[in-house]
Amino acid sequence: MTRNEIIEKVKAVAAAPSCYVGLREAVEEYLSSVGTEKEKEAAKTLVAELEADVSTIDSVIAFFESDKGKEYFGAETAANMAKHAHEVKDAGGKYCDCPACAPGKIILDNRDVILQ
């Protein structure tokens, strides 16, 4: 992947409704630093945040099947999301496929492009 392709994935993470505030801040910091002397440090921060936030499919399933997941999303929505996560896992997926995690995983897989 090229640097510009990674930047597009970073923008996709930022646009995702499932992107939480801390990750969004790291994304915005990185995007505002592109082309400056602060870019490498911001890239390191972004990668560290993605490492903490990109969820495995097993953790997604556990959350949506938990009481906390049901409380947060409502029983029906949590059940639907758990069902989808099981489908992802059954198809061989190892990570969450939400609009934040999917491009986040691609960035992690290609981190050397923005860290070099």
Side-chain angles (χ1 to χ4, degrees):
M1 265 195 140
T2 68
R3 182 170 164 268
N4 287 338
E5 290 170 323
I6 293 292
I7 290 169
E8 289 306 310
K9 296 298 180 190
V10 172
K11 290 176 182 177
V13 170
S18 52
C19 180
Y20 96 104
V21 175
L23 178 55
R24 190 174 315 278
E25 289 170 356
V27 163
E28 290 170 0
E29 178 184 333
Y30 173 74
L31 291 173
S32 69
S33 75
V34 170
T36 73
E37 70 282 348
K38 296 179 181 181
E39 183 176 354
K40 295 273 189 253
E41 194 59 38
K44 289 178 189 175
T45 301
L46 174 61
V47 167
E49 192 66 40
L50 287 168
E51 287 174 336
D53 297 339
V54 172
S55 300
T56 66
I57 200 65
D58 289 331
S59 67
V60 170
I61 290 168
F63 177 69
F64 287 123
E65 291 180 345
S66 74
D67 290 339
K68 189 170 189 133
K70 292 172 190 171
E71 179 183 318
Y72 188 81
F73 288 98
E76 184 177 343
T77 298
N80 288 336
M81 294 174 97
K83 179 182 178 208
H84 172 74
H86 278 288
E87 291 167 353
V88 169
K89 184 175 181 172
D90 291 346
K94 297 191 183 315
Y95 292 90
C96 176
D97 70 339
C98 80
C101 285
K105 177 68 170 108
I106 294 168
I107 296 164
L108 288 175
D109 290 345
N110 295 277
R111 70 184 79 201
D112 57 317
V113 174
I114 59 172
L115 291 176
Q116 54 183 334

